[in-house]
Amino acid sequence: MKEEAKYIRLFGVIFFSFMAFIAFIAALMMILKYTFRMLDHVPWFSLMFTLFVICVPAVLFITVYLIYIKHTKPHPSKSAKVFSYVIFAIALSAWMYYWFLDFIIFFKHHYNSIGEYNCYNLAFLAANVGAIFLVGIVQALNTNKEVGWIEKYEQRKMEE
């Protein structure tokens, strides 16, 4: 009888913990819903949110390109470095130009739709993702082949 009571108590604890978790998530969603509904009536919040949304793709891609530039400096192939730096220069200058243009559009017209801004142009975003992959592929093809763990293991066996 004691064993059965222990399992019933364990089931109750797990079940009610799950129910409490679901209730907590539901309460959190309701609080967030009414908080953001209240923020819709604050005029400056909508402008700040739109400005934040305009900045997201530019900051993301500029950061990726700057990290890529940092990792390109020690690359062994000079031609891959030159190719990469040319692509990075073109991409960063395009991002700065479109980001500046989007700020002008935002402060002149205050559009709430992202379709009006150049940083969200699908062709522009796809070209940037393609450029990132292209540079990665060019750099990967211009490095020496890395020795895999199987080859390392076989080399150690041969040396012994």
Side-chain angles (χ1 to χ4, degrees), residues 98-159:
Y98 282 129
W99 200 19
F100 183 73
L101 205 61
D102 284 347
F103 280 132
I104 292 172
I105 291 170
F106 174 75
F107 288 114
K108 278 187 179 178
H109 303 288
H110 300 289
Y111 293 127
N112 286 335
S113 172
I114 62 170
E116 305 296 328
Y117 299 103
N118 298 311
C119 287
Y120 282 95
N121 183 342
L122 190 59
F124 182 61
L125 291 173
N128 277 278
V129 171
I132 289 170
F133 279 106
L134 178 67
V135 168
I137 290 168
V138 167
Q139 287 185 7
L141 290 175
N142 285 307
T143 57
N144 296 330
K145 182 183 175 213
E146 290 187 19
V147 181
W149 65 273
I150 295 175
E151 290 88 13
K152 286 181 185 178
Y153 178 75
E154 289 175 355
Q155 282 177 349
R156 283 187 206 142
K157 277 197 139 188
M158 294 284 207
E159 290 173 0

Side-chain angles (χ1 to χ4, degrees), residues 1-16:
M1 185 68 174
K2 273 188 165 179
E3 287 290 320
E4 293 171 359
K6 184 169 64 172
Y7 290 120
I8 291 172
R9 185 177 308 139
L10 178 62
F11 174 76
V13 167
I14 293 171
F15 178 75
F16 287 117

Side-chain angles (χ1 to χ4, degrees), residues 36-112:
F36 283 111
R37 185 176 286 173
M38 182 178 64
L39 288 174
D40 279 343
H41 298 291
V42 180
W44 62 267
F45 184 78
S46 177
L47 290 175
M48 291 303 291
F49 182 73
T50 306
L51 195 58
F52 171 76
V53 168
I54 291 170
C55 292
V56 167
V59 169
L60 179 76
F61 277 99
I62 289 171
T63 304
V64 167
Y65 283 123
L66 292 177
I67 290 170
Y68 236 142
I69 287 171
K70 182 180 172 186
H71 289 287
T72 300
K73 286 181 184 178
H75 197 275
S77 173
K78 187 171 174 92
S79 61
K81 274 200 229 183
V82 169
F83 176 78
S84 300
Y85 286 140
V86 168
I87 297 294
F88 295 150
I90 292 169
L92 286 173
S93 59
W95 271 109
M96 296 309 286
Y97 174 75
Y98 282 129
W99 200 19
F100 183 73
L101 205 61
D102 284 347
F103 280 132
I104 292 172
I105 291 170
F106 174 75
F107 288 114
K108 278 187 179 178
H109 303 288
H110 300 289
Y111 293 127
N112 286 335

